[in-house]
Amino acid sequence: MRRLLFSLLMFCVLPAWADGHDQLYKVAGWPEQRAHFNDALAAAQKRYESSLPPAVFQALVNNSNQRFSPNAVDQRAQAQLRKNLVDPKPALAFFQSPLGKKIVAAELLATRRDQLAKNAKGLPKMQASDSRLLIIGHLAQALPAREAGAEV
């Protein structure tokens, strides 16, 4: 009976021991994002199979599979999260809020295989108000898009 009570108590306390960074990683949808990325990577590998010599193609596949293996990606992402985010509680609170959940759902929808195929030739044109265009212009000047593109 004592063991049962102890086990029940431990089961109830385990969520309190959960790491905030791990929770944030999951709540923000990053495991699903990684799975979507791996789907896109596999599709890209298939596209190159017929256009590259077999040895080059196999080297490309081996290198990309090693670099982008799910465990390696998760470990690198979580290490950077721990390194650069001292307190995950505010971010965790945001991603658990209705707006955060809505954003995560939109990101996950946008990176699904069917959505990527649908928008492969570019995103549909959208009309934006003058104030929104002004904000976009300010952001375009403020954000280092060229550096971010080079990084990607």
Side-chain angles (χ1 to χ4, degrees):
M1 185 65 181
R2 288 182 192 173
R3 288 183 184 170
L4 179 64
L5 184 61
F6 179 73
S7 298
L8 184 61
L9 181 62
M10 290 302 291
F11 183 71
C12 292
V13 173
L14 279 178
W17 288 347
D19 182 18
H21 291 94
D22 288 336
Q23 286 179 331
L24 176 60
Y25 189 76
K26 291 174 184 153
V27 169
W30 290 325
E32 293 87 356
Q33 291 274 15
R34 184 208 6 93
H36 292 169
F37 174 79
N38 284 342
D39 288 344
L41 178 64
Q45 289 172 344
K46 281 186 178 182
R47 281 194 309 269
Y48 284 110
E49 185 172 14
S50 62
S51 63
L52 293 174
V56 174
F57 171 73
Q58 195 57 48
L60 175 74
V61 168
N62 291 343
N63 288 339
S64 63
N65 286 347
Q66 181 180 358
R67 180 171 184 196
F68 299 116
S69 75
N71 289 339
V73 170
D74 284 344
Q75 288 174 356
R76 285 193 306 265
Q78 288 178 345
Q80 286 298 313
L81 189 61
R82 290 178 199 289
K83 178 182 172 188
N84 295 313
L85 186 63
V86 178
D87 183 17
K89 289 177 186 165
L92 190 57
F94 170 76
F95 282 110
Q96 290 174 333
S97 73
L99 176 61
K101 289 178 183 180
K102 186 176 179 181
I103 290 171
V104 169
E107 287 178 345
L108 292 177
L109 174 67
T111 58
R112 281 190 348 210
R113 179 182 297 174
D114 61 329
Q115 293 298 311
L116 291 175
K118 176 181 160 188
N119 298 317
K121 292 186 170 79
L123 295 174
K125 297 288 182 193
M126 296 178 67
Q127 295 297 325
S129 67
D130 290 337
S131 62
R132 184 171 242 183
L133 289 173
L134 184 63
I135 291 170
I136 292 170
H138 289 303
L139 286 173
Q141 290 177 350
L143 296 175
R146 287 192 179 134
E147 290 82 3
E151 184 83 16
V152 169

